[in-house]
Amino acid sequence: MSQLKEKSKAFIKNRWLVFVASMWVQSCAGIGYLFGSISPVIKSEMGYNQRQIAILGVAKDLGDSIGFIAGSLCEILPIWAVLSIGVVQNFVGYGLLWLIVSGKLPNLPLWVLCVSIFVGTNGETYFNTGALVSCVQNFPKSRGPVVGILKGFAGLSGAILTQLYASINTSNQSTLILMIAVWPTIVVLALMFIVRPVGGHRQVRSSDDSSFLFTYGVCIVLAAYLLIILLLDDLVDLSQTLITIFAVVLIIIILLPVMIPIRLSFFLEPRLPTEESLLPPPQIQEGTEVILSEVEDERSEGEESLTASERHKRIAQLQAKLFQAAAEGAVRVKRKKGPRRGENFTLLQALVKADFWLIFFSLVLASGSGLTVVDNLGQMCLSLGYSQTHIFVSMISIFNFLGRVGGGFFSELVIRNYGYPRPVAMAFIQVFMACGLFYYAMGWPGEIYVLTVIIGLGYGAHWAIMPAAISELFGLKSFGALYNFLTLASPAGSLIFSGVLASGIYDYEAEKQASLKQKALGVLMDDDSLSCSGSICYSTTCGILSGLCAIAAVLSSIVVYRTKSVYTQLYGKQTV
């Protein structure tokens, strides 16, 4: 009985349990992606026009992007408190929106709905920040895979919630808004005390690689399963019973990763207490993270097969290295005037560093271009004559998920196997996006399919690579604030590229086509009904965005050159 109790305690404190719980939190943290599903309901129930819905969409985007408070609170509050703030905002914001749209409350002005959706969507920044901060601290040597998987689940949360909503079988479409208010609230409240830093740097095992592979396998199965459901729903008239079965299987797939902490805690031998005591907390002092990570790598290699005498020798070696690290760190702390790259920065300290702004503007150009395509994809499909736009919207969501998961894996591969700094993966992805945009600009066959796949993968990969790189270059202490500042880059780029560039070129081409029709038919065209047809509507825009992504790749390459020494220290390999 006592052994079972000890194993249960180990299970609660297992970093893989925190990671799995964070995946479940993130599966509810992409509620902003559901705006395309709830906006038609709001439009019809409230009698709004498209301009008013666009204003509501801007309020949603602002709520999704402004995460300064969440990032700052992570430094002074426990993670459960940060998550609880997000729960309150999500429930109150979307709960009020549902009461208004469903007619439970009298019609209120548009600005009330804007405030409501801003507050509700801003709640997901607390979910994102709490999950990412906890897991990056628990997995300091596997930041790429961890961030990629977590951001992937956030990107796929819209598809997951949509499938669960379909299983309810309700004729009241406003119920989706109620589900957005209630479902994340229930899930996060159930997990808020599990998601936290647990000294994960002490829990490294030789089986971690296989655990990550299993998690990647679950992610691929999940993406393939949702894609199959999407195709079946489009091609076949599914019964409600079958839809409910699909939802149950979906939940089972999402729950599968919990097998990892169960196996580690209940079916493997626990680590010896003497070995645990040798490893200090992850942040004893600034600048020691690198050395601790190197010691961690050496300690984890084949440790489970060591004999007692060999283990004692290893313990002695660890002690010597830790004493040396403390001595060298003390000298370094006395000598320096401020943090160096690879050490802990505050947001204000990072804002005066060129590397931080190079990454920011690289994201503005590349991620902003990707978001422009995402926001305009439906209109792009219509201009090419495709009526089933929801297929392409769902496709880009699924490839966005695969891009986030694959981006974390790819960037980790670049570091571990080839010794390149992580930003080189970002430069490669940006060149990849530039090629996809150029393909569309040239109007080559199947351009919308190529663009959907490449932009989905590329845009998603950014949000796996960037947070991991930022944590490595500027430390973990203010990671939440640093990450949330950089998330402003994407909507800032989209505001310019979509709101000014893409819409301006589209209107120009639409007016030109209307003028030609007027001359040919002699009929005056209504300005409100102007529409553009053909690849010309967005080919110029995509050509410009392709060039911007190429410039972004150059900026990322400069970061690669400037940070070679940091990654050499972090991972012990000579970067090229």
Side-chain angles (χ1 to χ4, degrees):
M1 183 62 71
S2 61
Q3 189 176 7
L4 180 61
K5 187 177 179 180
E6 289 298 321
K7 289 187 176 182
S8 299
K9 288 182 180 179
F11 176 71
I12 296 298
K13 295 181 179 180
N14 191 286
R15 66 173 183 169
W16 279 97
L17 178 64
V18 176
F19 182 39
V20 172
S22 298
M23 290 163 57
W24 295 339
V25 168
Q26 289 293 85
S27 68
C28 302
I31 50 182
Y33 293 108
L34 285 167
F35 182 73
S37 298
I38 66 174
S39 57
V41 181
I42 298 173
K43 185 177 181 179
S44 62
E45 294 293 331
M46 303 299 295
Y48 289 160
N49 57 34
Q50 192 59 39
R51 184 178 297 275
Q52 290 170 310
I53 290 297
I55 293 172
L56 205 59
V58 171
K60 183 269 299 180
D61 289 338
L62 288 174
D64 197 16
S65 303
I66 298 177
F68 291 111
I69 299 176
S72 300
L73 289 179
C74 271
E75 299 180 33
I76 58 176
L77 294 177
I79 297 298
W80 67 263
V82 174
L83 293 175
S84 64
I85 295 173
V87 165
V88 172
Q89 287 197 199
N90 178 79
F91 184 74
V92 171
Y94 278 99
L96 177 60
L97 186 65
W98 173 73
L99 290 172
I100 296 171
V101 174
S102 64
K104 308 293 182 184
L105 292 178
N107 282 352
L108 295 174
L110 176 62
W111 68 265
V112 176
L113 275 78
C114 288
V115 172
S116 175
I117 202 168
F118 171 87
V119 171
T121 309
N122 189 248
E124 75 177 57
T125 65
Y126 292 84
F127 302 156
N128 270 304
T129 304
L132 285 173
V133 168
S134 298
C135 291
V136 167
Q137 290 186 11
N138 287 332
F139 292 84
K141 294 295 288 181
S142 303
R143 303 177 199 191
V146 165
V147 172
I149 291 169
L150 291 179
K151 295 300 293 181
F153 270 86
L156 207 60
S157 60
I160 293 172
L161 287 173
T162 299
Q163 187 61 34
L164 295 177
Y165 169 72
S167 67
I168 297 176
N169 189 25
T170 175
S171 58
N172 188 353
Q173 294 182 327
S174 65
T175 306
L176 177 59
I177 303 175
L178 177 62
M179 184 174 181
I180 295 173
V182 173
W183 181 256
T185 299
I186 295 173
V187 172
V188 178
L189 281 176
L191 301 171
M192 60 192 295
F193 293 106
I194 298 177
V195 178
R196 69 202 191 282
V198 290
H201 71 295
R202 304 182 182 187
Q203 300 181 25
V204 177
R205 288 180 177 269
S206 58
S207 60
D208 282 346
D209 288 342
S210 61
S211 298
F212 275 116
L213 286 176
F214 178 77
T215 308
Y216 278 124
V218 171
C219 291
I220 293 172
V221 170
L222 179 60
Y225 181 72
L226 286 170
L227 187 59
I228 290 170
I229 293 176
L230 172 68
L231 294 175
L232 287 175
D233 187 37
D234 184 59
L235 299 174
V236 182
D237 187 15
L238 299 175
S239 67
Q240 185 59 39
T241 303
L242 195 57
I243 291 174
T244 304
I245 293 173
F246 283 155
V248 172
V249 174
L250 175 64
I251 293 174
I252 292 173
I253 294 173
I254 294 173
L255 293 176
L256 279 178
V258 79
M259 293 170 59
I260 298 172
I262 290 175
R263 173 178 172 270
L264 291 175
S265 301
F266 292 100
F267 298 100
L268 291 181
E269 288 299 319
R271 191 185 306 282
L272 292 179
T274 52
E275 294 180 55
E276 290 281 359
S277 63
L278 283 175
L279 291 170
Q283 290 183 352
I284 287 182
Q285 60 183 28
E286 290 189 11
T288 61
E289 180 185 353
V290 172
I291 301 173
L292 290 179
S293 298
E294 291 171 358
V295 171
E296 173 187 295
D297 271 354
E298 290 187 23
R299 182 178 56 80
S300 62
E301 246 180 70
E303 70 169 324
E304 295 178 2
S305 61
L306 293 177
T307 63
S309 61
E310 290 172 335
R311 186 174 285 110
H312 285 303
K313 288 181 181 178
R314 180 66 60 87
I315 289 172
Q317 293 172 357
L318 285 172
Q319 285 176 325
K321 286 191 176 185
L322 288 173
F323 287 137
Q324 182 183 357
E328 291 177 355
V331 172
R332 184 164 62 249
V333 170
K334 290 178 182 178
R335 186 175 61 215
K336 69 181 181 180
K337 294 182 179 179
R340 296 185 177 91
R341 285 172 302 185
E343 299 174 350
N344 287 322
F345 283 71
T346 64
L347 177 58
L348 291 178
Q349 289 171 330
L351 287 175
V352 299
K353 293 296 181 181
D355 294 331
F356 189 81
W357 287 107
L358 285 170
I359 293 174
F360 180 84
F361 285 114
S362 175
L363 286 171
V364 169
L365 297 176
S367 183
S369 297
L371 187 57
T372 298
V373 172
V374 172
D375 289 343
N376 290 276
L377 187 61
Q379 195 65 46
M380 295 173 79
C381 294
L382 292 174
S383 69
L384 293 173
Y386 296 95
S387 59
Q388 301 292 331
T389 59
H390 70 280
I391 294 178
F392 293 95
V393 173
S394 298
M395 277 180 59
I396 204 168
S397 175
I398 292 171
F399 281 103
N400 180 15
F401 166 72
L402 293 174
R404 295 180 185 216
V405 174
F409 177 81
F410 172 64
S411 65
E412 202 72 13
L413 196 67
V414 162
I415 291 175
R416 303 291 181 182
N417 291 6
Y418 301 102
Y420 286 95
R422 196 180 300 273
V424 79
M426 200 155 72
F428 178 85
I429 291 297
Q430 288 159 350
V431 171
F432 183 60
M433 291 177 64
C435 293
L437 289 162
F438 183 76
Y439 190 97
Y440 187 95
M442 297 303 295
W444 289 334
E447 66 264 46
I448 191 65
Y449 291 95
V450 173
L451 187 72
T452 299
V453 172
I454 291 181
I455 294 302
L457 291 171
Y459 176 72
H462 274 83
W463 300 107
I465 299 169
M466 179 275 292
I470 285 298
S471 70
E472 289 161 339
L473 296 176
F474 298 100
L476 297 173
K477 185 178 180 181
S478 299
F479 171 71
L482 296 167
Y483 163 73
N484 281 294
F485 183 89
L486 289 175
T487 58
L488 293 174
S490 187
S494 176
L495 182 65
I496 300 170
F497 306 148
S498 181
V500 179
L501 179 67
S503 61
I505 293 176
Y506 180 91
D507 289 342
Y508 170 77
E509 294 294 341
E511 290 172 2
K512 192 162 70 171
Q513 291 181 6
S515 178
L516 293 174
K517 287 181 182 178
Q518 182 178 340
K519 289 179 181 179
L521 303 175
V523 178
L524 185 63
M525 303 296 292
D526 183 6
D527 287 344
D528 292 334
S529 63
L530 290 179
S531 60
C532 181
S533 300
S535 61
I536 189 63
C537 306
Y538 287 96
S539 60
T540 303
T541 298
C542 286
I544 295 172
L545 296 181
S546 176
L548 294 177
C549 286
I551 295 173
V554 173
L555 296 180
S556 296
S557 299
I558 295 173
V559 176
V560 171
Y561 175 76
R562 290 170 56 88
T563 59
K564 291 188 298 181
S565 60
V566 179
Y567 280 89
T568 300
Q569 288 179 318
L570 276 171
Y571 296 100
K573 291 185 179 181
Q574 183 62 44
T575 54
V576 182

